[in-house]
Amino acid sequence: MSLSDDSENEWSVLARSYEDNLRPRFKDLYNSIANIVVKQVELQEKNKSKILDYGTGPGEPILTILESLQANKLFNVDLYGTDSSLKMLSIAEDRLNKSNNKQLNIQLFPLNLSVSSDTYDIITMSLVLPYASSKEEMLRERFNQLNLNGVLVSSHWYRYDQVPFLTTIKAVLNYMASETHLDLSTLEFDSSYSCWPEKQTRDDFEKVGFTIQQWNVLSLHMSFPNIRGFLNFCDMCSWFNNETLYAKAEKEAKRILENDFHTQFASDGSFELLNTVIIVVASKSS
């Protein structure tokens, strides 16, 4: 696969930051999704299962699934990964080429390549749904791509007050743009926290025909060496390398973490944030 430049794609711009800052901290989430996939492959007992990781980014979800399938000696699987960012796919391709995979067929392709209906037995999405312009349309597309009795495994952030890392980043960005402290309660129905309210989310899945089999709550621990390590999520921002502006951002981040999330800082400045992720397992039933 040859991937051309797509430097104007926003996810391609964020590819390096995502790879350095987010991917390592999402490992427990990817492991949880991979474990669910392994169980689904074992349950389906097909001669050959087809799995799509939709929004695979730099490849961590599909690599983790690959490793879990190999560890469980499940080789009756074809793996596919897709993403809107060619830069992300390029990173994923490099990592897959370096993996010790000799048994499983894996293909990566850009998101704009059409895929026919009734194609996959399992589709996974790791924190993809919050960024869809239409949640219903994305769910309907995944529903159509699944074979009958196929399964969608989709993860989402929960309430804003249970995702301190994302909520604090949003509040800091707001402060640096407007110099006003964000009332966090205004994030109550922000689309980033797309599994809240729970009833609405369940209704969204059922509206397009899914039957929810599992509603799993995962506690995702994130450790940071200091505030700067935390604000590395914002290293693309113009203020990040400006000493005066950065100091303002760091002060605001610490204020939010201490006042709103009661974060405890160690003597060396390190701290840990506990975030809640929901993993929905939904089936396409007759």
Side-chain angles (χ1 to χ4, degrees), residues 15-32:
R16 179 185 59 80
S17 182
Y18 183 97
E19 176 75 359
D20 293 342
N21 301 312
L22 289 177
R23 182 176 63 80
R25 294 184 169 95
F26 287 171
K27 188 63 178 176
D28 287 347
L29 169 62
Y30 299 139
N31 284 337
S32 297

Side-chain angles (χ1 to χ4, degrees), residues 1-3 88-97 108:
M1 178 183 62
S2 176
L3 297 173
M88 291 280 200
L89 283 177
S90 180
I91 295 173
E93 183 179 45
D94 288 342
R95 297 181 68 216
L96 284 168
N97 288 338
L108 300 175

Side-chain angles (χ1 to χ4, degrees), residues 171-235:
V172 169
L173 292 174
N174 175 81
Y175 179 74
M176 296 307 293
S178 65
E179 295 197 5
T180 59
H181 300 304
L182 180 66
D183 178 358
L184 299 189
S185 66
T186 62
L187 297 174
E188 177 77 13
F189 298 107
D190 185 290
S191 61
S192 297
Y193 313 96
S194 63
C195 258
W196 178 258
E198 182 175 330
K199 183 182 184 304
Q200 178 179 317
T201 301
R202 290 179 178 274
D203 288 346
D204 290 339
F205 275 78
E206 292 168 0
K207 183 177 181 180
V208 301
F210 280 114
T211 299
I212 294 181
Q213 295 182 342
Q214 299 175 33
W215 182 273
N216 301 306
V217 181
L218 173 69
S219 295
L220 190 62
H221 296 261
M222 293 186 180
S223 298
F224 300 92
N226 46 44
I227 293 288
R228 188 170 189 88
F230 173 73
L231 288 177
N232 275 341
F233 290 122
C234 307
D235 64 357

Side-chain angles (χ1 to χ4, degrees), residues 52 105 138 151 268 277-278:
L52 170 68
N105 173 51
M138 177 173 283
V151 170
D268 62 357
V277 185
I278 304 299

Side-chain angles (χ1 to χ4, degrees), residues 59-76:
E60 190 66 20
I62 199 169
L63 272 167
T64 308
I65 292 169
L66 168 64
E67 292 167 359
S68 295
L69 291 170
Q70 291 176 324
N72 287 275
K73 302 187 184 307
L74 295 171
F75 305 123
N76 58 329

Side-chain angles (χ1 to χ4, degrees), residues 4-18 83-91 236:
S4 59
D5 178 66
D6 66 339
S7 56
E8 295 184 1
N9 179 287
E10 64 174 319
W11 290 106
S12 291
V13 173
L14 293 170
R16 179 185 59 80
S17 182
Y18 183 97
D83 202 276
S84 63
S85 164
L86 298 184
K87 177 65 174 176
M88 291 280 200
L89 283 177
S90 180
I91 295 173
M236 300 295 293

